[in-house]
Amino acid sequence: MTIKLSKFTLRISEELLKKFRYIAEYSAHSANRELEILIIRSIAEFEKKHGAITLD
């Protein structure tokens, strides 16, 4: 099964990006993977409080 990956542009300050990349490297992840992990956790937390998100 092939998963279609979407692209997303994020505009943040250079300082914030550098700190984020530091955290990602510390965790042995790419910045992209670190962001994906944070998004997954955020969705899981939301769904735990509010129920599953259904998509059309």
Side-chain angles (χ1 to χ4, degrees):
M1 181 175 137
T2 303
I3 298 173
K4 181 181 176 188
L5 299 177
S6 298
K7 294 180 182 181
F8 179 78
T9 300
L10 179 66
R11 293 180 183 95
I12 58 174
S13 71
E14 187 175 340
E15 179 183 1
L16 192 59
L17 181 57
K18 284 180 180 180
K19 288 181 178 184
F20 184 73
R21 283 186 172 152
Y22 179 91
I23 293 168
E25 186 176 320
Y26 183 86
S27 302
H29 298 133
S30 67
N32 188 76
R33 180 64 180 144
E34 188 70 21
L35 183 56
E36 184 179 10
I37 289 167
L38 292 174
I39 291 170
I40 290 167
R41 287 180 186 164
S42 178
I43 292 169
E45 254 183 63
F46 182 92
E47 289 184 326
K48 187 176 180 181
K49 287 182 184 178
H50 304 284
I53 298 170
T54 56
L55 305 174
D56 295 330

